Amino acid sequence: MASEELRNMSTDELKSNLDDAREELMNFRFQQSTGELTDHTRIRFTRRQIARLLTIIHEKELKLRSESES
């Protein structure tokens, strides 16, 4: 998902996607430890997706905080 699409989502949707991505990463790590994982780039992609989601959630929280102070 592109960053622009993510920025248009609500915070609840982003947090739901974050939970899904973290679960997916856990499954990939489990598959890697058992030798079942064939596409190792999925781990890297999922870690970056988690970072992207956390960044956008943090941006939204800062925006709300600055609007409430004004």
Side-chain angles (χ1 to χ4, degrees):
M1 220 177 274
S3 293
E4 283 302 315
E5 293 175 16
L6 293 173
R7 283 191 171 86
N8 292 330
M9 290 183 173
S10 70
T11 305
D12 292 334
E13 290 174 324
L14 290 170
K15 288 182 180 180
S16 173
N17 284 349
L18 179 61
D19 291 340
D20 293 342
R22 284 180 170 161
E23 185 175 338
E24 185 178 22
L25 180 62
M26 182 188 66
N27 290 335
F28 287 148
R29 286 181 174 161
F30 181 74
Q31 288 175 4
Q32 185 179 29
S33 68
T34 60
E36 297 175 16
L37 186 64
T38 57
D39 187 9
H40 298 281
T41 59
R42 296 287 302 169
I43 291 175
R44 185 170 126 192
F45 174 80
T46 305
R47 283 182 29 231
R48 289 183 179 183
Q49 184 69 16
I50 290 170
R52 193 175 294 119
L53 287 164
L54 287 171
T55 300
I56 294 172
I57 290 170
H58 184 70
E59 286 174 355
K60 285 184 177 264
E61 289 173 352
L62 287 177
K63 183 179 178 183
L64 287 174
R65 195 175 301 155
S66 68
E67 287 176 355
S68 66
E69 290 177 356
S70 299

